[in-house]
Amino acid sequence: MASDSPSLLERLKIGLQQNVSGSIKKTQPVSDDEKREMEEAEFEKIYSELKQAIKGESSTTCTDYNTIPQFYVKLPSEDELLQQKLREEARAVFLQRRSRQLLDNDELQSLWFLLDKNHTPPLVNEEKMVNYKAFQQVAKEAGDKCTPFFTATIYAKLLQADPYGRISIMQFFNYVMRKTWLHQTRIGLALYDVAGQGFLRESDLENYILELIPTLPQLDGLEKSFYSFYVCTAVRKFFFFLDPLRTGKVKILDILACSFLDDLLELRDEELSREQQEMNWFSAPSALRVYGQYLNLDKDHNGMLSKEELARYGTGTLTTVFIARVFQECLTYDGEMDYKTYLDFVLALENRRAPQSLQYFMRLLDISHKGHLNAFDLNYFFRAIQDQMRQHGQEPVSFQDVKDEIFDMVKPQDPLKITYQDLVNSSQGDTVVNILIDLNGFWSYENREVLVADQTETEVESTATSS
């Protein structure tokens, strides 16, 4: 097909004429041989430039699949033993190298002495401070491992309302300690990441916690026969909150970002109070409490819970309709619930405000899996509350009144539908759940004003007695 654009040869000729004529104008008259040499030189120059330009254009318009860099490497299969071993060894070497880059205890102690020696007076409430000049001086003396911590950005982050523009050496040292601990823990968790993809499967996390137990003094009293139940109890909390979509794995970064690992490692403190232990899901008293409740509910001692046995949970005021929905939606074995499924149930009920718990309850309350709750769903569950009220000799409350109150509390975007996000945004999701599944929860809501008044009166009497 004809084209209006000049051919390569024509472009060369035009360029040659322009360059040669320009050269001739600027120089003395030349012979024919000299002119021919100049033309050939200019020809070679322009030709090479045009060829390079055309090559660049073709590389952007033509697809050469051989030049695409590899961006996916398939994991070795189970029968590829050599590849698996090579990958494991490479990861181990990498993690060892990263571990050697971290500060050890002696180096941390030396860093503290340097900070203390170079602190900048005056003291602030007996707390030693350091200005930026001294901060840089410590950086020079501390060594290469400390270099990443001595940046202007970190200094600015720790800067407070000090009139001299200084930072607290204690806050800075705690920052270094925390960062070092996070990196150490990250490497420690990565050792259990069999796939090497930044995730831990349930079995990986179980192995990590099982090998961690001997290092936690607060768990010294646990019988070894209980270890498997303790590990299951501990791992379930990680997966309930960090894997709400039930993918079977959690990100190592998510484990580090949440507070669960801090709670678990808090058990290293030999002087942890009884109250602190009871509030810590990972403590021995807490694990024994949850497992003890499970055994008490299991009346036929078959290691599983039936609907009738689970209905006795807590004060026994959960409705039969709600219990039935639990068995319809959750994993069961021949119609009975195992300990792992029971742990999800307990975690949801004990943390009703958490978004993950509301997601759990939403799945149960949304009978037809339509993604929202409507008046039919609310009525379906509240009728069981009304039946319980009649059994206790109480006059049932009108459903219409309760429905209106729920919609007023939640204020959904659609006035006829309540979504999971509506429950989260309203901060009233736990109250809605209490009203619909638990007679005690509904009674507490109905008598909230009386309960608040009684609590206030008790606090006033307690204050008067103490004074």
Side-chain angles (χ1 to χ4, degrees):
M1 187 171 77
S3 174
D4 295 332
S5 59
S7 65
L8 174 60
L9 186 58
E10 290 170 339
R11 290 160 65 187
L12 283 169
K13 287 179 179 178
I14 294 170
L16 206 61
Q17 291 169 359
Q18 291 174 348
N19 282 278
V20 171
S21 61
S23 301
I24 292 172
K25 288 177 183 178
K26 296 176 183 177
T27 59
Q28 297 295 327
V30 293
S31 65
D32 291 339
D33 291 338
E34 290 175 336
K35 184 177 180 181
R36 190 179 301 108
E37 289 177 2
M38 292 174 61
E39 286 178 348
E40 289 177 356
E42 287 295 328
F43 179 91
E44 289 293 334
K45 177 182 176 184
I46 296 173
Y47 180 79
S48 62
E49 289 177 355
L50 286 174
K51 187 168 70 170
Q52 194 67 28
I54 292 170
K55 184 179 179 182
E57 290 174 3
S58 64
S59 66
T60 58
T61 56
C62 298
T63 303
D64 183 2
Y65 292 103
N66 293 325
T67 63
I68 297 177
Q70 186 176 11
F71 58 88
Y72 173 72
V73 179
K74 185 179 178 182
L75 292 176
S77 60
E78 293 182 359
D79 58 340
E80 295 176 323
L81 300 179
L82 183 60
Q83 290 90 328
Q84 284 185 344
K85 189 65 178 175
L86 177 62
R87 196 167 187 274
E88 290 174 8
E89 289 298 321
R91 288 186 63 247
V93 170
F94 169 74
L95 293 174
Q96 286 174 0
R97 186 169 67 248
R98 293 302 301 269
S99 181
R100 287 195 295 269
Q101 293 172 357
L102 301 178
L103 296 171
D104 58 30
N105 290 335
D106 292 337
E107 289 166 330
L108 285 169
Q109 190 173 15
S110 299
L111 175 61
W112 172 255
F113 287 145
L114 283 173
L115 289 167
D116 186 63
K117 183 180 73 173
N118 290 276
H119 80 273
T120 311
L123 302 181
V124 177
N125 297 326
E126 299 184 357
E127 186 173 4
K128 294 181 178 180
M129 315 289 284
V130 62
N131 62 20
Y132 191 64
K133 184 177 180 180
F135 182 77
Q136 291 178 309
Q137 180 60 36
V138 175
K140 293 178 182 178
E141 301 178 25
D144 293 339
K145 284 187 180 181
C146 295
T147 300
F149 299 109
F150 287 89
T151 65
T153 302
I154 293 175
Y155 188 90
K157 285 180 180 179
L158 299 175
L159 193 61
Q160 296 180 349
D162 181 70
Y164 303 99
R166 303 169 301 171
I167 63 172
S168 164
I169 66 171
M170 179 59 73
Q171 287 184 0
F172 174 72
F173 186 72
N174 286 339
Y175 172 83
V176 174
M177 289 274 288
R178 178 68 179 172
K179 279 286 187 180
T180 303
W181 177 84
L182 281 173
H183 286 300
Q184 287 173 342
T185 309
R186 173 70 177 86
I187 292 171
L189 289 170
L191 293 172
Y192 294 85
D193 177 14
V194 176
Q197 298 291 296
F199 295 89
L200 290 185
R201 301 169 303 173
E202 200 163 340
S203 58
D204 300 331
L205 192 55
E206 285 174 353
N207 291 333
Y208 173 75
I209 293 178
L210 183 62
E211 294 183 19
L212 193 66
I213 290 177
T215 69
L216 305 175
Q218 289 294 339
L219 300 181
D220 286 345
L222 284 183
E223 297 287 340
K224 288 193 175 181
S225 58
F226 185 68
Y227 277 11
S228 60
F229 295 102
Y230 174 82
V231 169
C232 181
T233 305
V235 168
R236 207 63 229 142
K237 182 163 187 176
F238 284 95
F239 275 82
F240 181 82
F241 288 101
L242 302 182
D243 183 31
L245 298 180
R246 304 296 182 259
T247 62
K249 57 186 181 181
V250 293
K251 289 182 180 178
I252 292 178
L253 291 181
D254 288 343
I255 295 176
L256 293 172
C258 73
S259 62
F260 301 157
L261 205 56
D262 289 336
D263 294 339
L264 179 61
L265 297 179
E266 186 181 46
L267 303 179
R268 290 174 174 171
D269 185 358
E270 298 182 5
E271 299 179 358
L272 203 63
S273 67
R274 183 74 180 182
E275 182 181 357
Q276 289 174 309
Q277 291 185 54
E278 291 175 353
M279 293 174 61
N280 189 331
W281 173 266
F282 302 100
S283 69
S286 175
L288 291 169
R289 170 186 64 83
V290 175
Y291 186 65
Q293 289 173 347
Y294 182 79
L295 293 180
N296 289 334
L297 293 174
D298 182 20
K299 286 299 182 183
D300 58 5
H301 306 294
N302 68 341
M304 310 279 276
L305 298 182
S306 64
K307 292 180 185 177
E308 294 74 20
E309 289 171 334
L310 186 64
R312 297 171 48 250
Y313 175 82
T315 56
T317 54
L318 293 172
T319 65
T320 55
V321 171
F322 172 69
I323 296 295
R325 284 293 296 152
V326 172
F327 278 79
Q328 287 172 5
E329 293 294 328
C330 299
L331 180 64
T332 57
Y333 302 89
D334 294 329
E336 294 202 318
M337 176 184 292
D338 70 345
Y339 184 56
K340 188 178 293 185
T341 306
Y342 172 76
L343 287 171
D344 285 346
F345 176 80
V346 172
L347 285 164
L349 288 173
E350 291 188 357
N351 302 274
R352 299 185 196 192
R353 290 180 179 270
Q356 296 87 344
S357 299
L358 293 178
Q359 192 173 35
Y360 176 93
F361 289 120
M362 188 71 184
R363 183 160 53 99
L364 303 178
L365 298 176
D366 181 12
I367 302 170
S368 54
H369 304 99
K370 56 193 173 297
H372 64 265
L373 305 179
N374 55 24
F376 178 83
D377 299 313
L378 303 184
N379 187 34
Y380 179 82
F381 286 95
F382 191 70
R383 278 185 301 176
I385 296 290
Q386 291 175 319
D387 291 341
Q388 283 187 329
M389 294 181 73
R390 292 189 187 96
Q391 292 172 10
H392 288 81
Q394 301 174 5
E395 185 66 25
V397 177
S398 166
F399 166 71
Q400 192 64 36
D401 293 340
V402 172
K403 181 191 72 115
D404 291 342
E405 287 190 40
I406 288 176
F407 274 87
D408 287 342
M409 274 192 296
V410 177
K411 295 180 177 59
Q413 290 186 349
D414 187 325
L416 300 177
K417 302 174 183 178
I418 296 177
T419 65
Y420 160 74
Q421 199 58 50
D422 290 329
L423 292 176
V424 174
N425 294 342
S426 68
S427 300
Q428 298 293 329
D430 59 314
T431 304
V432 174
V433 170
N434 288 340
I435 291 173
L436 297 176
I437 72 170
D438 186 358
L439 178 61
N440 269 358
F442 173 74
W443 185 89
S444 298
Y445 173 76
E446 278 291 285
N447 298 275
R448 59 193 180 281
E449 295 178 359
V450 176
L451 293 173
V452 170
D454 290 345
Q455 183 179 359
T456 303
E457 184 178 346
T458 304
E459 289 175 355
V460 170
E461 290 178 355
S462 176
T463 304
T465 303
S466 61
S467 58

